[in-house]
Amino acid sequence: MKTRITELFGIEHPIIQGGMHYVGYAELAAAVSNAGGLGIITGLTQKTPDNLAKEIARCREMTDKPFGVNLTFLPAVKPPDYPGFVDAIIEGGIKIVETAGNNPAKWLPKLQENGIKVIHKCTTVRHALKGQSIGVDALSIDGFECGGHPGEDDIPNMILLPRAAEELEIPFVASGGMSDARSLVASLAMGAEGMNMGTRFIATREAPVHDNVKQAILNADETDTRLVMRPLRNTERVLTNTAVERLLQKERDIGPGITFEDIAPEVVGVYPRVMVDGDMTAGAWSCGMVAGLVHDIPSVQELIDRIMRDAEALIRGRLTGLLN
Ligand SMILES: Cc1cc2nc3c(=O)[nH]c(=O)nc-3n(C[C@H](O)[C@H](O)[C@H](O)COP(=O)(O)O)c2cc1C
């Protein structure tokens, strides 16, 4: 399948693995790229630019296909060394960067001068147009369903994707709620040039996270996620658990005056405890509604092969068949 996204990034299939904190290590990124998609290492999971440089080198040993690095600009207790991370990306020979969170304008000239294509992830048409106007190469349009940060406008992909198609000239992929061939074909129908998956890729054999995390996604259904940190305008979609319910109770009890410190016990330092130790009630961790569509833990290759095979069957069979 050839789309503007496969052409832009030099990949075989229009499937991207979004950056994921404590999940997007070299093992997963390489597996996705080896299977013909675009794997992405999560920059900020690496504590220092030097560690990121090593992770890039490790990934390069596992694949000779293109892979990218995610740079997330979110409110942080202590801002990361962004200049150092950008240097590590450039010196590591990375040619694709996924940015997310705040406007990446500050970093765009340096990245693009070094031959790097930038795909910016955003959750509204307004932000997508802003991204296009500052010159990003592509966009990842993240609907309200998504795991992680869906923004504050709550527009699901059934509306957001066709709206993006109405407004944008640069190519975009559909992100949030994507799991299989149906997601891909529907996204293409709505004007996207491919899809980005997060949650679905965690439940794969190669995802380097504790088995408890994969099982939790397998066991969850589409009603099991919650939105936390809405009063702080830093909304995050997470899988529910006792810590998340406690956090939500604090939000109700304290009301609009709630501060980050109030909820720190449920959100700070949670990722290593969940992803590495498998402590599933350690706190709030991102997960999409699409957990309801995850029914197995295949290898990344099996997953991507299945998506592409089923997409072809869906287009040539069911859809063409409807045209009698
Ligand atoms: C566990 C987890 C961690 C994530 N961490 C990040 C991150 O650090 N930076 C980022 O830009 N997006 C992050 N995301 C969002 C994903 O890249 C992707 O946009 C999202 O998962 C898409 O929605 P889906 O889960 O429905 O596929 C994360 C998602 C999950 C599930």
Side-chain angles (χ1 to χ4, degrees), residues 1 4 34 59 123 145 201 203-204 216 223 230 256 282 291 294 296:
M1 189 182 284
R4 289 166 75 196
N34 281 333
C59 195
T123 59
E145 311 84 332
F201 274 125
T204 58
T223 65
R230 176 130 274 186
V294 174
D296 60 359

Side-chain angles (χ1 to χ4, degrees), residues 18-21 42 70 72 100 121 142 145-147 175-177 196-199 202 271 275 286-288 290:
M20 286 182 281
H21 202 34
T42 314
N70 167 285
T72 302
K121 190 158 55 188
D142 223 8
E145 311 84 332
C146 73
S175 178
N196 178 64
M197 301 195 294
T199 302
I202 304 177
Y271 274 79
M275 300 297 176
S286 296
C287 179
V290 74

Side-chain angles (χ1 to χ4, degrees), residues 116-173:
I116 294 171
K117 300 265 186 283
V118 175
I119 178 164
H120 182 58
K121 190 158 55 188
C122 53
T123 59
T124 68
V125 172
R126 193 173 75 254
H127 290 133
L129 283 170
K130 183 75 195 171
Q132 177 173 273
S133 77
I134 63 170
V136 302
D137 299 281
L139 291 152
S140 194
I141 304 290
D142 223 8
F144 184 50
E145 311 84 332
C146 73
H149 293 268
E152 310 302 326
D153 281 6
D154 304 356
I155 312 295
N157 268 333
M158 208 71 187
I159 309 298
L160 190 59
L161 297 173
R163 277 291 297 129
E166 285 177 2
E167 301 277 346
L168 295 173
E169 276 148 35
I170 60 172
F172 66 93
V173 296

